[in-house]
Amino acid sequence: MNLSSLYTELILEHSRNCENKRHLECATCSKRGHNPSCGDDITIELLMEDGKIVDAAFTGSGCAISQASTSMMIDLVKGRSAEEAEELSQIFLGMIKREIKTEEELELLEEAIAFQNISNMPARVKCAVLAWHTLTEAIQEANLHS
Amino acid sequence: MNLSSLYTELILEHSRNCENKRHLECATCSKRGHNPSCGDDITIELLMEDGKIVDAAFTGSGCAISQASTSMMIDLVKGRSAEEAEELSQIFLGMIKREIKTEEELELLEEAIAFQNISNMPARVKCAVLAWHTLTEAIQEANLHS
Amino acid sequence: MYDVQAIRQKFPTLQQQVNGKPLIYFDNAATTHTPMEVLDAVRDYKERFNANPHRGAHYLGIQATELYEQAREKVAAFINAPSPQEVIFTKNATEALNLVAYSYGFSQIQAGDDIVLCISEHHSNLVPWQRVAKLKGATLRYLYLTEDYTLDWEEVREVITTKTALFAIAQMSNVLGTIYPIRELVAYAHQQGAVVVVDGAQSVPHLKTDVQELEADFFVFSGHKVFAPMGIGVLYGRRELLESMPPFLMGGEMVEYVQEQETTFNDIPYKFEAGTPNVEGAVGLASAIDFLAGTSWEAIQEHEEKLTRYALERLQEVPHLKIYGPQAGRTGRGPVIAFTIDGCHPHDVATIVDQDGIALRAGHHCAQPLMNYLKAPATSRISFSLYNTKDEIDVLINSLQGVRGWLGYES
Amino acid sequence: MYDVQAIRQKFPTLQQQVNGKPLIYFDNAATTHTPMEVLDAVRDYKERFNANPHRGAHYLGIQATELYEQAREKVAAFINAPSPQEVIFTKNATEALNLVAYSYGFSQIQAGDDIVLCISEHHSNLVPWQRVAKLKGATLRYLYLTEDYTLDWEEVREVITTKTALFAIAQMSNVLGTIYPIRELVAYAHQQGAVVVVDGAQSVPHLKTDVQELEADFFVFSGHKVFAPMGIGVLYGRRELLESMPPFLMGGEMVEYVQEQETTFNDIPYKFEAGTPNVEGAVGLASAIDFLAGTSWEAIQEHEEKLTRYALERLQEVPHLKIYGPQAGRTGRGPVIAFTIDGCHPHDVATIVDQDGIALRAGHHCAQPLMNYLKAPATSRISFSLYNTKDEIDVLINSLQGVRGWLGYES
Ligand SMILES: Cc1ncc(COP(=O)(O)O)c(C=O)c1O
Ligand SMILES: Cc1ncc(COP(=O)(O)O)c(C=O)c1O
């Protein structure tokens, strides 16, 4: 995997997305995620209503990959039900592990399909998956509390 | 150093000496010495009167080398003053370390000169010096208490 | 066919002369030699990939991380751990046992609890528990041995009770060669509610290890006793236990967030691996596991059992020789034989046979409480590995027959 | 003349291509590569002498013991310790620091005492002290940094007081490159009655070490950062302190008499070396010390200082680049340079230069409290060793100039 297929325009654009990167005043749940080894450190905030993700945003810092992945994920899950979001998360993680291969499933990920080949860069896998793991945990905690 | 110069008649005789290996009922001081790595474990008992070693003996178990060295040492120091005994101990340890080389000094060790070449058998040095270290400690403790 | 000569060819150390005689290495319970392929694997790693793992965003760092984690996976498969996260690399079995004692022991053992050990434990699986017992106000209790150097179930049922918080035992004694019935002991101890620590330092080189079958809560071993380099050891622990335990060594890699006054910790296994790990040691251990996979456990056991039987038989020809350990064959006995010769201190025995190129161990074998119990201040020990031969045993017997003569006895 | 090419020839790892480019290894603060002669020394030891030391009455055991103890003597001379008994082998600097924290810290630190650290400490010299402070009711206090990334004596005098029981500090920061005035700090802390732990992990590869001149009470370093194998580290401690401290890891070798309920301990250094030591690691460290002795410290320092100066100069050509660390030359500064490029995460920087074969480190460098203090969640880090060259720096500068372009910035 060379640099131009890693730092694509789409990924770079998302990595600097300011719309999704903000503090969500009215969040009903939030979850911090961290890669101790490389220092990516994000907090995902969700506004959930009746099991639906009405709004989502994140704060924190990290590399272009982690920031872009987080931003794409937020675009993807906003407006979905918690179950749908969890499912998408599983599909994303499955894609990274090369376990999910059908085009139909991958298409559900919309722009986030951009990370399909990140496993060729093992050092960056953690950056790409951080947000999705964090989302899953956030939703599970929200379910517990409701 | 081959086996026949290690297990000489003199050393074997001393290694089974029963006269020096006994419990000294009337001892005024005693000291245990141990080589944790090989298991030699002896206790030296001294009967001191007016700074003189009136009687000495030992108990415990160990290899032929440690037993013979202990027995020879007891023969050597019995009847001597504590200072003389300490000096002889230093000469013995000096001999083992190859620091003391004059014939006159070595002759003071009498039979214990038999261990002169033990440093060619590094694994057995500890066995040969155990008694002498223990004696030095015993005398130093005795001095402290008097 | 088990081709012992072909196996020997792989070990450069075995090709040597000692005191002018071919080396006969019978000190395998202390440490084993390393086959060429393991030496090569380590060398290759050092020449091509050497880097600090887990922190690298560069090529070498990524390779080192992958090789280190692959070694963990290989170890997990080797001992049949449910997952690699339950495999923690330490420097040796001793550190692994101390980790359990400090982390699990100090946090879970309560005043009034019993800690049960077998009297044949190695100091590394004994002194840490003495310390825990003392500091926590627990009672240290021992299982003693039958005439045939194994456990008595009646005694087991008496000593391991619902008061027993922890039971620690070696799968195989490094002095007697006894292989204890770990699976049954674990089952019984679990019924009583005890957590069980199994010290596999001596069994791993000789038996197929399956921590799930044993149902061990903790299991440890050392790389250097199983053809790997020194400086690498393994702790396996059940996930729930490891996850609930506080960290032991603290520093780089085992943290999540560090603030000036507070720290949160990484997940297992990293929580227990502070500082730069011994990557080349792990690579060497992985390679040693590959080496072992080249021969079936059945073949290794058959070979070692044959040697042990033969040695036990021939040792009877040596006058005044007494063996400490079970007489049986494979079941309940590994290839370690402790003995004494009347009137001859084991240290002298070792020196005498060393002149014939034979490496035996002499002393208390880091098991002083056992020696006291056996009333033998020291013993000599023969321990075989997969590369030893019958011919070597013949040379040993010959040499042993001369020992009393050297020490001035008529016969 | 310092012949860097001749030195490079000794390092097989440096002869490699990475991503089709010659490897440029600038991650020496994480771990250094190993010269051929050290690899050969370890291999030779394994092929000829491999055995478990201290327990052997046979030839190989004796040789292993001698080589292990000779390595200890060599290390003692290398750091100018008064005696080899004050040199304890550990697996790395982290274990050495934990040994001091567990053994000295838990037994000597009292409720109400202060423990003082520098804010730039590596987690390995920080998290153990957090734990001691917390469990003993002591207060953890920090020394912060001046604008030039060094200590302010006024603050030192305010923070280190007669309440300070222990002061722990790295001789050289692994992020900033700052070399702290250890000798003066130790003298001052001693006046206040504090014991001083010096973390030499980063300084030992770059400066002549003299623990007596520093008057350090404890001093630690890791072999793998100074051309030796992984899995070997060193703790030096003053004799009186070591003798009075309780043991840390417990098991084989560190005991004197073991009874069922009580144990007495061996003398230093063995009291602190439980279990089978990493003999080959010690042999490798001894060989690495010999390797270093082939070049004078003056020559090494001059070379590394030249590189550092040149790099600091040329980095100014890279737009939007900010350096964290002192600007000065040799005094007060070692060959470690942390930096950030505006708008570019260090992890992306590392990935981009990796494509040009350059190994940089990115992240918090196990110094999160420092990163918080600097308000830099992460930095990139260049760290030189005696085998790096100016040409390599030129390649790096070139590569860094492209970073912002790759990340979509116009300039
Ligand atoms: C300043 C400092 N202290 C301690 C350490 C810990 O060394 P190790 O990981 O070898 O234990 C390091 C390196 O990682 C360091 O840079
Ligand atoms: C039964 C047993 N347990 C533990 C150990 C300790 O192993 P290590 O010294 O490698 O830590 C040994 C070997 O010395 C052993 O034989």
Side-chain angles (χ1 to χ4, degrees):
Chain A
M1 194 178 201
N2 58 26
L3 290 180
S4 25
S5 57
L6 181 67
Y7 297 114
T8 60
E9 239 172 81
L10 180 69
I11 285 180
L12 292 177
E13 211 171 86
H14 268 285
S15 78
R16 293 194 233 140
N17 182 319
C18 299
E19 201 191 315
N20 292 337
K21 188 164 179 176
R22 62 194 158 92
H23 182 47
L24 206 65
E25 283 298 331
C26 49
T28 54
C29 80
S30 89
K31 185 76 198 166
R32 187 174 174 187
H34 188 211
N35 282 330
S37 59
C38 56
D40 294 328
D41 189 348
I42 59 166
T43 300
I44 290 175
E45 294 180 304
L46 305 175
L47 170 61
M48 310 261 288
E49 268 170 28
D50 302 329
K52 202 172 137 186
I53 300 172
V54 176
D55 201 0
F58 80 105
T59 53
S61 69
C63 63
I65 306 306
S66 75
Q67 302 282 299
S69 179
T70 313
S71 170
M72 288 178 187
M73 179 191 78
I74 284 174
D75 277 355
L76 186 67
V77 301
K78 234 190 298 189
R80 310 249 188 181
S81 73
E83 290 85 65
E84 281 176 300
E86 268 196 278
E87 254 177 61
L88 289 166
S89 220
Q90 290 317 312
I91 294 174
F92 184 88
L93 297 172
M95 169 182 83
I96 302 288
K97 288 192 218 147
R98 300 193 181 285
E99 288 166 2
I100 287 175
K101 293 193 183 97
T102 75
E103 282 302 315
E104 296 98 68
E105 276 185 296
L106 293 184
E107 269 167 23
L108 297 175
L109 295 177
E110 299 178 10
E111 289 177 334
I113 207 171
F115 293 105
Q116 186 168 11
N117 290 319
I118 196 81
S119 48
N120 293 333
M121 282 220 161
R124 308 313 298 270
V125 167
K126 279 187 172 182
C127 314
V129 300
L130 176 63
W132 306 77
H133 278 301
T134 310
L135 177 72
T136 309
E137 287 174 28
I139 292 174
Q140 282 164 358
E141 277 186 18
N143 288 346
L144 268 183
H145 294 169
S146 69
Chain B
M1 192 176 204
N2 60 25
L3 291 181
S4 26
S5 58
L6 182 66
Y7 296 114
T8 59
E9 240 172 78
L10 180 69
I11 285 181
L12 292 177
E13 211 170 86
H14 268 285
S15 77
R16 292 193 233 141
N17 183 319
C18 297
E19 202 191 312
N20 292 336
K21 188 163 179 178
R22 62 193 158 92
H23 182 45
L24 206 64
E25 282 298 334
C26 51
T28 54
C29 81
S30 88
K31 185 77 199 168
R32 185 172 175 190
H34 187 211
N35 282 330
S37 59
C38 54
D40 296 327
D41 189 348
I42 57 167
T43 300
I44 290 175
E45 294 180 302
L46 305 176
L47 169 61
M48 310 263 290
E49 269 171 27
D50 302 331
K52 206 175 132 182
I53 300 173
V54 177
D55 201 0
F58 81 103
T59 54
S61 69
C63 62
I65 306 305
S66 76
Q67 302 283 299
S69 180
T70 312
S71 170
M72 288 179 188
M73 180 190 78
I74 284 174
D75 277 356
L76 186 67
V77 301
K78 235 191 293 186
R80 311 245 189 185
S81 74
E83 291 85 61
E84 280 177 299
E86 269 196 276
E87 254 176 62
L88 289 166
S89 219
Q90 289 318 309
I91 294 174
F92 184 88
L93 297 171
M95 172 183 80
I96 302 289
K97 285 191 217 146
R98 300 191 181 284
E99 288 166 2
I100 286 175
K101 290 190 186 99
T102 75
E103 281 303 316
E104 296 98 70
E105 276 184 298
L106 292 184
E107 271 167 21
L108 297 173
L109 295 176
E110 298 176 12
E111 290 177 334
I113 207 173
F115 293 105
Q116 188 169 8
N117 291 319
I118 196 81
S119 49
N120 294 333
M121 281 219 162
R124 309 313 298 271
V125 167
K126 277 187 174 181
C127 314
V129 300
L130 177 63
W132 306 77
H133 278 302
T134 311
L135 177 72
T136 309
E137 286 175 27
I139 293 175
Q140 283 165 358
E141 277 186 18
N143 288 345
L144 268 183
H145 294 168
S146 68
Chain C
M1 245 297 289
Y2 190 81
D3 187 350
V4 67
Q5 289 307 330
I7 291 178
R8 291 179 69 82
Q9 284 309 317
K10 298 184 166 200
F11 289 81
T13 323
L14 298 180
Q15 314 309 319
Q16 289 194 93
Q17 303 266 320
V18 160
N19 292 319
K21 309 278 170 57
L23 168 65
I24 295 181
Y25 187 76
F26 283 161
D27 194 16
N28 294 290
T31 200
T32 50
H33 291 300
T34 318
M36 197 65 96
E37 61 200 79
V38 173
L39 297 176
D40 287 344
V42 172
R43 178 87 179 217
D44 184 62
Y45 163 75
K46 287 300 279 183
E47 294 195 359
R48 289 172 56 210
F49 300 121
N50 183 53
N52 203 320
H54 297 310
R55 309 186 197 165
H58 57 71
Y59 174 78
L60 296 183
I62 296 159
Q63 300 299 321
T65 307
E66 292 210 338
L67 288 168
Y68 184 63
E69 293 306 329
Q70 280 167 15
R72 195 191 304 280
E73 285 165 26
K74 188 149 271 174
V75 170
F78 178 63
I79 60 173
N80 196 28
S83 75
Q85 288 88 50
E86 291 163 291
V87 170
I88 292 154
F89 285 121
T90 62
K91 67 174 174 179
N92 52 26
T94 301
E95 185 196 343
L97 290 163
N98 276 270
L99 193 166
V100 180
Y102 271 97
S103 174
Y104 183 83
F106 282 117
S107 66
Q108 298 300 319
I109 305 290
Q110 309 290 331
D113 284 350
D114 283 351
I115 297 175
V116 176
L117 308 179
C118 180
I119 190 66
S120 62
E121 289 320 301
H122 187 279
H123 294 160
S124 294
N125 197 24
L126 191 156
V127 187
W129 302 116
Q130 273 187 351
R131 181 89 175 275
V132 172
K134 191 166 213 167
L135 292 188
K136 303 298 287 191
T139 304
L140 205 58
R141 302 187 66 184
Y142 285 90
L143 296 170
Y144 299 93
L145 301 175
T146 63
E147 299 245 302
D148 198 35
Y149 301 94
T150 188
L151 293 175
D152 172 11
W153 271 99
E154 216 164 291
E155 189 183 328
V156 168
R157 276 185 284 263
E158 235 162 67
V159 175
I160 300 180
T161 68
T162 54
K163 285 188 66 185
T164 308
L166 188 138
F167 172 42
I169 185 167
Q171 183 161 16
M172 171 174 152
S173 160
N174 67 314
V175 181
L176 307 170
T178 309
I179 295 171
Y180 297 105
I182 296 299
R183 199 173 144 186
E184 292 76 13
L185 288 166
V186 171
Y188 183 74
H190 277 174
Q191 274 175 29
Q192 306 303 310
V195 155
V196 184
V197 179
V198 179
D199 172 359
Q202 291 299 333
S203 54
V204 166
H206 305 296
L207 302 174
K208 185 166 165 42
T209 302
D210 185 333
V211 294
Q212 291 187 75
E213 194 199 312
L214 294 177
E215 296 195 44
D217 296 298
F218 297 102
F219 186 95
V220 310
F221 71 99
S222 268
H224 70 92
K225 293 188 202 275
V226 52
F227 315 108
M230 285 184 173
I232 190 81
V234 169
L235 167 65
Y236 156 79
R238 278 203 298 115
R239 179 186 291 276
E240 310 86 86
L241 291 170
L242 293 178
E243 282 179 346
S244 68
M245 282 154 58
F248 172 45
L249 297 182
M250 275 156 286
E253 304 313 330
M254 51 71 72
V255 299
E256 185 187 27
Y257 305 108
V258 182
Q259 289 171 326
E260 290 184 19
Q261 302 293 339
E262 293 288 338
T263 291
T264 56
F265 299 107
N266 205 334
D267 294 330
I268 61 164
Y270 309 111
K271 179 167 78 170
F272 293 108
E273 292 184 358
T276 302
N278 185 355
V279 184
E280 56 212 72
V283 166
L285 179 54
S287 170
I289 291 172
D290 286 340
F291 159 74
L292 268 169
T295 316
S296 74
W297 280 112
E298 289 69 35
I300 293 171
Q301 281 186 327
E302 194 187 311
H303 176 74
E304 293 181 347
E305 189 190 344
K306 227 186 270 174
L307 292 178
T308 309
R309 261 187 219 283
Y310 183 68
L312 286 169
E313 217 175 275
R314 291 227 50 203
L315 283 168
Q316 305 198 339
E317 296 169 25
V318 182
H320 306 281
L321 187 144
K322 172 170 167 41
I323 287 169
Y324 297 81
Q327 289 293 334
R330 165 165 148 195
T331 316
R333 191 185 214 311
V336 167
I337 304 173
F339 68 90
T340 53
I341 299 177
D342 285 350
C344 304
H345 192 276
H347 212 182
D348 294 312
V349 175
T351 296
I352 292 167
V353 303
D354 186 43
Q355 291 299 312
D356 291 330
I358 304 165
L360 290 193
R361 183 114 322 208
H364 51 57
H365 315 296
C366 295
Q368 290 182 27
L370 175 66
M371 299 321 250
N372 289 341
Y373 177 67
L374 298 177
K375 299 199 176 51
T379 66
S380 298
R381 184 183 71 185
I382 307 161
S383 53
F384 300 122
S385 183
L386 45 79
Y387 43 58
N388 290 119
T389 67
K390 272 187 162 185
D391 292 350
E392 291 179 315
I393 295 173
D394 291 336
V395 178
L396 170 70
I397 300 295
N398 227 9
S399 188
L400 286 178
Q401 269 157 342
V403 163
R404 279 179 56 97
W406 280 112
L407 293 177
Y409 295 93
E410 306 266 302
S411 71
Chain D
M1 245 299 288
Y2 189 82
D3 187 350
V4 67
Q5 290 307 331
I7 290 177
R8 290 179 70 82
Q9 284 310 315
K10 297 183 167 201
F11 289 81
T13 323
L14 297 180
Q15 315 308 321
Q16 290 193 93
Q17 303 264 321
V18 160
N19 293 320
K21 309 278 171 58
L23 167 66
I24 296 180
Y25 187 76
F26 283 161
D27 194 16
N28 294 288
T31 200
T32 51
H33 292 301
T34 318
M36 196 67 95
E37 60 201 80
V38 173
L39 298 176
D40 287 344
V42 172
R43 178 89 181 215
D44 183 61
Y45 164 75
K46 288 300 280 182
E47 295 195 359
R48 290 173 55 211
F49 301 119
N50 183 52
N52 203 320
H54 297 310
R55 306 187 199 166
H58 57 73
Y59 174 78
L60 296 183
I62 296 160
Q63 300 299 320
T65 307
E66 292 211 338
L67 288 167
Y68 185 63
E69 293 306 328
Q70 280 168 16
R72 195 192 304 280
E73 285 166 26
K74 189 149 270 175
V75 170
F78 179 63
I79 61 173
N80 196 30
S83 75
Q85 288 89 49
E86 291 163 289
V87 169
I88 292 154
F89 285 122
T90 62
K91 67 175 175 179
N92 52 26
T94 300
E95 184 196 345
L97 290 163
N98 276 271
L99 193 168
V100 180
Y102 271 96
S103 173
Y104 183 84
F106 281 118
S107 66
Q108 298 298 318
I109 304 291
Q110 309 290 334
D113 283 350
D114 283 352
I115 297 175
V116 176
L117 307 179
C118 180
I119 190 68
S120 62
E121 290 319 301
H122 187 279
H123 294 160
S124 295
N125 197 23
L126 191 155
V127 188
W129 302 116
Q130 273 187 352
R131 181 90 174 275
V132 171
K134 192 167 213 164
L135 293 188
K136 302 297 288 189
T139 305
L140 204 59
R141 301 187 66 186
Y142 285 90
L143 295 170
Y144 299 93
L145 300 174
T146 63
E147 299 246 300
D148 197 31
Y149 302 93
T150 188
L151 293 175
D152 173 10
W153 271 98
E154 217 164 290
E155 189 183 327
V156 169
R157 276 185 286 265
E158 235 162 67
V159 175
I160 301 180
T161 67
T162 54
K163 285 188 64 184
T164 308
L166 187 139
F167 172 42
I169 184 166
Q171 182 162 16
M172 173 174 151
S173 159
N174 68 315
V175 181
L176 307 169
T178 309
I179 296 172
Y180 297 104
I182 296 298
R183 200 173 143 186
E184 293 75 13
L185 288 166
V186 171
Y188 183 75
H190 278 172
Q191 275 175 30
Q192 306 303 309
V195 155
V196 185
V197 179
V198 180
D199 172 359
Q202 291 298 332
S203 54
V204 166
H206 305 297
L207 303 174
K208 184 167 167 39
T209 301
D210 185 333
V211 294
Q212 291 187 72
E213 195 199 311
L214 294 177
E215 296 195 42
D217 296 298
F218 297 103
F219 186 95
V220 310
F221 70 98
S222 268
H224 71 92
K225 293 189 201 275
V226 53
F227 314 111
M230 284 183 176
I232 189 83
V234 169
L235 166 65
Y236 155 79
R238 278 202 299 114
R239 178 186 291 276
E240 310 86 87
L241 291 170
L242 292 179
E243 284 179 344
S244 68
M245 283 155 56
F248 172 45
L249 298 182
M250 274 156 287
E253 304 312 329
M254 51 71 73
V255 299
E256 186 188 23
Y257 304 109
V258 182
Q259 289 171 328
E260 291 185 19
Q261 301 294 338
E262 293 290 337
T263 291
T264 56
F265 299 107
N266 204 335
D267 294 330
I268 62 166
Y270 309 111
K271 179 167 79 171
F272 294 108
E273 293 185 356
T276 302
N278 185 354
V279 184
E280 56 212 74
V283 166
L285 178 54
S287 170
I289 291 172
D290 286 340
F291 160 74
L292 269 169
T295 316
S296 74
W297 280 113
E298 290 68 36
I300 293 170
Q301 280 185 326
E302 195 187 309
H303 176 73
E304 293 181 347
E305 186 190 347
K306 227 185 269 173
L307 292 177
T308 309
R309 260 187 221 284
Y310 183 68
L312 286 170
E313 217 176 276
R314 291 227 49 202
L315 284 168
Q316 304 197 340
E317 296 169 24
V318 181
H320 307 281
L321 186 144
K322 173 171 165 40
I323 287 168
Y324 297 81
Q327 288 293 331
R330 165 165 148 197
T331 317
R333 192 189 210 310
V336 167
I337 304 172
F339 69 89
T340 53
I341 298 176
D342 286 352
C344 304
H345 193 275
H347 212 181
D348 295 312
V349 175
T351 296
I352 291 166
V353 303
D354 185 45
Q355 292 297 312
D356 291 329
I358 305 167
L360 290 192
R361 186 117 315 213
H364 53 57
H365 315 296
C366 294
Q368 289 182 27
L370 175 66
M371 300 321 250
N372 288 341
Y373 177 68
L374 299 176
K375 299 198 175 56
T379 67
S380 299
R381 182 183 73 185
I382 308 161
S383 53
F384 301 122
S385 182
L386 44 79
Y387 43 58
N388 290 119
T389 67
K390 272 185 162 187
D391 292 351
E392 291 179 316
I393 295 173
D394 291 336
V395 177
L396 169 70
I397 300 295
N398 226 8
S399 187
L400 287 178
Q401 269 158 343
V403 163
R404 279 179 56 96
W406 281 113
L407 294 176
Y409 295 93
E410 306 265 302
S411 74

